Amino acid sequence: MALALALSRQGLTVGVVGREPDRAAAPDIRAYALNAAARALLAELKVWDALPADAVTAVDDMRVEGDRDGARLDFSAWQQGAEALAWIVDAAELDAALQAALRFAPHVQRSEREPPAALVALAEGKDSASRRARGVAFERSAYGQTAVAARLVASRPHAHVARQWFRSPDILALLPLDRPRPGASYALVWSLPAEAARTLLTAPVDEFEAALNEACGDAAGRLSLAGERAGWPLSVARADPLCGPGWVLLGDAAHVVHPLAGQGLNLGLADVAALVRVIAEREPWRALGDEILLRRYARARALPTRAMAAVTDGLLHLFAADQPLLKEFRNRGLSLLNHLAPLKRALTARAIDA
């Protein structure tokens, strides 16, 4: 949807294949952590300011803890001189805002089937049927983990602080939200071994809440479920090639990373920005589907997407290991990095502006 809006602003005729989703279906409990680059793109598309105020929550600070007392890493937007470290956005509201913008966008039409086109952009997710139909290799490695997502309310205000615990064998994130309780709600993303996740997804509410509060301690106050739970299997994957004559891959159809850094949608929107820029700067005589043109996009996105996959994969395996020496190393590393202000600022700046 973001790509369609951006290309229509260049005066191109764009067809969006597929029906509008039914908002009366099961509620979408996901939330996105968007960086400054993603926010800027959505603002340029006139989507960001259309979001309800309580559907966007700024993250001013982040607390990351290891699996040993005292092992922690703190990030601050104030120390970074940034407006926010990230913005947590209600997924359903972002989807609705994009859908509304598409309905009023010039040169954009919906289609039930793929119409003839100079360029076909495949952005239909990690299980893309169109990618398979074109014979594109999609190397996927399953982690044997499941992400458990839910909306929570807390007994204390979130104070715009995101919290994350890196432990063996789970990674738990609390992302501050203003829904359903203003100033005291969170989106939960809890990555666990598949069997443990299945147990939590089907456990009675009181048992789930007991496990959750034991995992978080008293860091965010007493946490309670505010709706349904959902889960999905986790993997790392990359398509090869990313483009061909008349077609190109974006988002999860092109690459999948572990959600521990919250960068999935940020990578996809960065794909959009890169492809739109390549198309805008093309030679007047070069066709939209020219493979030489599309390879410029593929080259621009190769390093950022591979680097993010390497970082998330490396962190996952580092903290999943249960060997005593490795546990000592990673916890000491967190504490050491917390005292290396220049390096911490550099890492924060990279995450904000990626």
Side-chain angles (χ1 to χ4, degrees), residues 189-314:
V189 183
W190 195 356
S191 304
L192 300 124
E195 185 58 39
R198 279 193 292 271
T199 300
L200 285 175
L201 285 167
T202 57
V205 170
D206 59 341
E207 292 182 16
F208 179 87
E209 290 178 348
L212 173 65
N213 281 283
E214 182 181 2
C216 297
D218 191 47
R222 177 72 186 177
L223 298 167
S224 304
L225 269 175
E228 300 298 319
R229 289 159 277 179
W232 60 90
L234 299 176
S235 61
V236 61
R238 180 174 177 82
D240 186 29
L242 290 179
C243 63
W247 61 268
V248 65
L249 293 167
L250 300 93
D252 283 359
H255 40 72
V256 176
V257 298
H258 195 283
L260 63 86
Q263 292 298 313
L265 183 57
N266 290 321
L267 286 175
L269 291 176
D271 290 347
V272 170
L275 181 59
V276 169
R277 182 170 59 252
V278 163
I279 289 175
E281 295 173 354
R282 75 188 187 281
E283 298 87 344
W285 48 264
R286 195 177 293 280
L288 286 172
D290 189 316
E291 193 170 5
I292 293 176
L293 176 71
L294 300 177
R295 284 177 184 165
R296 296 172 188 171
Y297 157 79
R299 287 194 296 270
R301 297 304 298 149
L303 181 58
T305 54
R306 287 182 183 274
M308 185 56 66
V311 167
T312 55
D313 189 66

Side-chain angles (χ1 to χ4, degrees), residues 2-125:
L3 179 63
L5 289 169
L7 293 178
S8 74
R9 290 166 63 88
Q10 293 188 22
L12 297 171
T13 300
V14 184
V16 179
V17 180
R19 298 179 181 178
E20 270 194 47
D22 180 9
R23 295 202 72 191
D28 189 344
I29 61 174
R30 296 173 302 158
Y32 299 121
L34 298 184
N35 60 22
R39 181 195 182 198
L41 174 63
L42 293 172
E44 183 181 348
L45 300 177
K46 311 300 182 186
V47 170
W48 187 261
D49 291 338
L51 292 166
D54 66 346
V56 179
T57 304
V59 176
D60 295 335
D61 298 277
M62 186 168 185
R63 307 278 183 265
V64 180
E65 297 189 32
D67 48 10
R68 189 190 69 185
D69 288 344
R72 61 181 291 169
L73 184 57
D74 301 316
F75 296 101
S76 165
W78 178 80
Q79 291 179 346
Q80 192 66 26
E83 183 180 351
L85 294 176
W87 290 264
I88 310 305
V89 180
D90 182 283
E93 291 291 356
L94 178 57
D95 184 80
L98 285 162
Q99 296 285 2
L102 278 179
R103 286 194 290 269
F104 294 100
H107 318 300
V108 176
Q109 295 181 338
R110 281 197 172 271
S111 175
E112 291 294 320
R113 298 176 182 176
E114 186 178 305
L119 173 62
V120 178
L122 308 177
E124 57 190 331

